[in-house]
Amino acid sequence: MQSTFQLAMLVPTTAIVLFWVILAAKYEEKFEEVTSSIPSEDYYLCELFYIGFQIMEMIHFNMKSDSSRKKIKLMSEVYGKKYAEYYYYVSVGGKITYVITVFPLISLLALLANNPVALLFGVVFAAIFVWYMNESFKDKLTDRREKILAEFPQVLSKMTLLVNSGMLLRDAWNLIANQSDTILFQEMQLTATQLKNGVPEAAAYREFAERCGIKEIRKFAATVIQGLEKGAAELTMFLKDMADELWLEKRNLVKQKGERANAKLLVPTVIIFIGILFMIMAPIISGL
């Protein structure tokens, strides 16, 4: 005999499952070019993302809204301005796919098992997938910024010495940019190419700061632009002061990374402790 819960859930669950099946059967080929280009190591079940892409079309998702532009700007730091909009599109489509796939599946299982509590697991699992995508991108963004910030003090010290010795800033920039191939130096190389192609120095340094997305480098760009206007003597002084400030920031960053590492190690320790405590207490409680 069917319960009230099963009768109440039968129609909406069936409708959602049928909706998913129709999307899965009808639109795979339409988005095959997009889904085949998604890196599977970064996105679980990316072959199903066409479901989310089609729903985005149905609801007329606005890729030009203020919130979308802000997120695309962040994406550009990790993936570059050329591919930022594409990865934002993939990210939104993926999140919609996870929700529209996981929640109906758990709802169907809850309906068959006649267990309303199982619905909560559907909400939780769908939220976990969305949270994972957000955190995965945040980790990439944070890692990139930290790598740039870790190398920048040394770069700035070299630049200060070269400018102080009489070299023009753009020449010092070109010389330093080719000394390595890490993220910071790649961005510097791009700026060097812009300078060779006739982009004004102020605009090139400003774009460099925007690509890096770090407040310290934005401050550096503003300082350099101001120094270029006031002359070489002022510029050298500005660079030296900022280099000293960034070395201090680097020491603080190393300290913060150590504290975060300790905090991450604490979580599994607490989980293991709770598990051991449960194993000890379970026989005692069952014997009472």
Side-chain angles (χ1 to χ4, degrees), residues 38-50 90-91 93-95 97-98 101-102 128-130 132-133 136:
I38 301 173
S40 57
E41 63 274 11
D42 292 334
Y43 298 97
Y44 294 121
L45 302 175
C46 60
E47 61 274 8
L48 294 177
F49 281 12
Y50 63 89
V90 169
S91 175
K95 291 172 187 176
T97 300
Y98 289 145
T101 301
V102 174
I128 286 174
F129 274 104
V130 173
Y132 171 79
M133 287 193 71
S136 179

Side-chain angles (χ1 to χ4, degrees), residues 24 26 35 50 64 68 79 89 98 113 123 125 190 192 201-202 220 255 258 274-275:
K26 191 175 180 181
T35 54
Y50 63 89
K64 305 297 182 183
S68 293
Y79 302 110
Y89 176 77
Y98 289 145
V123 176
F125 277 115
L190 179 55
E201 280 191 81
F220 159 78
K255 184 179 178 181
I274 293 173

Side-chain angles (χ1 to χ4, degrees), residues 53-265:
F53 299 151
Q54 181 58 35
I55 293 176
M56 289 172 70
E57 284 193 11
M58 290 177 175
I59 64 176
H60 302 290
F61 183 82
N62 187 5
M63 294 280 290
K64 305 297 182 183
S65 66
D66 290 340
S67 61
S68 293
R69 283 200 297 267
K70 289 178 182 177
K71 290 174 182 175
I72 290 171
K73 186 177 179 182
L74 290 176
M75 291 274 183
S76 68
E77 289 186 42
V78 177
Y79 302 110
K81 189 176 290 186
K82 183 178 179 181
Y83 299 104
E85 192 167 326
Y86 163 78
Y87 276 100
Y88 177 63
Y89 176 77
V90 169
S91 175
V92 175
K95 291 172 187 176
I96 294 174
T97 300
Y98 289 145
V99 172
I100 203 68
T101 301
V102 174
F103 182 70
L105 178 62
I106 301 296
S107 297
L108 182 60
L109 294 176
L111 178 64
L112 295 174
N114 191 22
N115 187 354
V117 178
L119 282 176
L120 294 176
F121 286 98
V123 176
V124 170
F125 277 115
I128 286 174
F129 274 104
V130 173
W131 172 84
Y132 171 79
M133 287 193 71
N134 289 333
E135 288 302 308
S136 179
F137 173 72
K138 285 180 183 178
D139 287 344
K140 289 180 182 178
L141 182 62
T142 300
D143 182 63
R144 183 180 191 275
R145 288 178 173 179
E146 287 183 349
K147 285 179 179 177
I148 290 174
L149 194 56
E151 289 186 314
F152 195 58
Q154 186 175 2
V155 166
L156 198 53
S157 295
K158 291 179 181 178
M159 197 175 297
T160 303
L161 289 172
L162 291 172
V163 173
N164 194 38
S165 67
M167 186 177 288
L168 293 174
L169 177 62
R170 64 186 300 156
D171 294 334
W173 187 283
N174 290 335
L175 181 63
I176 295 170
N178 294 312
Q179 292 181 352
S180 182
D181 198 35
T182 56
I183 297 171
L184 174 60
F185 288 90
Q186 288 175 8
E187 295 295 347
M188 291 183 69
Q189 289 163 17
L190 179 55
T191 300
T193 302
Q194 289 178 322
L195 292 172
K196 289 178 183 177
N197 291 335
V199 176
E201 280 191 81
Y205 298 139
R206 194 177 294 112
E207 284 189 31
F208 167 74
E210 288 300 314
R211 290 196 306 273
C212 292
I214 300 172
K215 63 178 181 179
E216 290 83 2
I217 295 187
R218 289 196 184 99
K219 182 179 178 181
F220 159 78
T223 299
V224 166
I225 293 168
Q226 184 180 357
L228 289 172
E229 294 172 354
K230 292 188 176 181
E234 291 283 343
L235 178 60
T236 303
M237 184 184 67
F238 285 148
L239 290 175
K240 183 179 183 305
D241 290 342
M242 191 162 190
D244 294 338
E245 183 181 333
L246 283 176
W247 277 113
L248 181 61
E249 290 259 355
K250 183 176 180 178
R251 286 195 292 269
N252 292 333
L253 177 63
V254 172
K255 184 179 178 181
Q256 290 171 8
K257 288 180 73 173
E259 291 173 351
R260 286 202 300 269
N262 289 334
K264 287 181 179 179
L265 288 173

